[in-house]
Amino acid sequence: MHGNGRDGNGARPRVVVGVSGSLGSLAALHRGLAEARGRGAVLVPVLAWEPPGGEYGYRRSPCPPLLAAAREAAEQRLNDALDAAFGGADPGVPLCPVVIRGETGPALVDVADRPDDLLVLGRGGGPLHRRLRRPVPGYCTRRAVCPVLTVPVPDLLHDLHRLETAHRPLTPAVELLAAKR
């Protein structure tokens, strides 16, 4: 990077942030904003989406109106996440939101395709989520041409999970055992 904060082609550096709307991705947006400010970079929030049933399912049974509705829902989810992260205020850096069709990891690596980019990801999803889907941070770390920064899940999310678990209703079998005591 040259002293003017631009790469050799004159383009501004970019901070690409993976966004899903989860608390982890909102934390990544906040960290990405701080990184973009510090670097004089463009903030590029990216939300990847796939057709209902995935690409294979869509190829087997295409439905253009359903595809259009899925894309519209993805655009709305990104707008909602930006509103939640920034409260409708101007983030103070150039913002270039991207909604891209594709699996999350490959889509993020495709967008963050310059060595001077920074890819910021939230660590989120519980153990079940990680078993059902490929972990995005690991995929991106292995394949990205730029640095990848993973932001830990906010402590608030851990506290919320603990409260939720502590106040979860008992199953009928557990209630029956508790009543016999």
Side-chain angles (χ1 to χ4, degrees):
M1 189 181 316
H2 299 290
N4 64 2
R6 299 173 189 272
D7 68 14
N9 299 324
R12 286 184 92 155
R14 302 180 306 167
V15 175
V16 179
V17 181
V19 177
S20 67
S22 69
L23 287 177
S25 75
L26 295 180
L29 265 173
H30 281 270
R31 180 62 185 268
L33 176 60
E35 293 288 335
R37 282 184 181 142
R39 297 165 183 254
V42 175
L43 183 62
V44 184
V46 177
L47 188 137
W49 67 279
E50 294 183 88
E55 292 296 338
Y56 178 73
Y58 185 77
R59 283 194 301 272
R60 288 189 58 185
S61 183
C63 179
L66 182 60
L67 188 67
R71 177 172 178 76
E72 188 176 306
E75 290 170 351
Q76 186 61 52
R77 206 164 83 219
L78 179 57
N79 288 334
D80 291 347
L82 293 173
D83 285 345
F86 306 133
D90 178 7
V93 298
L95 190 64
C96 184
V98 174
V99 174
I100 185 169
R101 180 176 170 181
E103 192 176 345
T104 304
L108 290 169
V109 169
D110 284 348
V111 173
D113 63 350
R114 301 187 324 212
D116 68 334
D117 287 341
L118 173 65
L119 179 55
V120 181
L121 306 170
R123 295 189 59 107
L128 178 62
H129 179 76
R130 286 191 291 275
R131 276 186 236 133
L132 295 175
R133 299 184 56 85
R134 275 199 302 202
V136 173
Y139 179 92
C140 293
T141 301
R142 288 188 302 277
R143 290 179 175 81
V145 298
C146 65
V148 177
L149 173 64
T150 56
V151 178
V153 176
D155 289 338
L156 177 62
L157 188 59
H158 289 298
D159 295 343
L160 182 62
H161 180 67
R162 268 188 246 112
L163 284 172
E164 185 179 82
T165 303
H167 292 94
R168 187 172 291 145
L170 299 175
T171 62
V174 173
E175 286 178 357
L176 183 61
L177 287 173
K180 288 184 177 183
R181 287 187 177 173

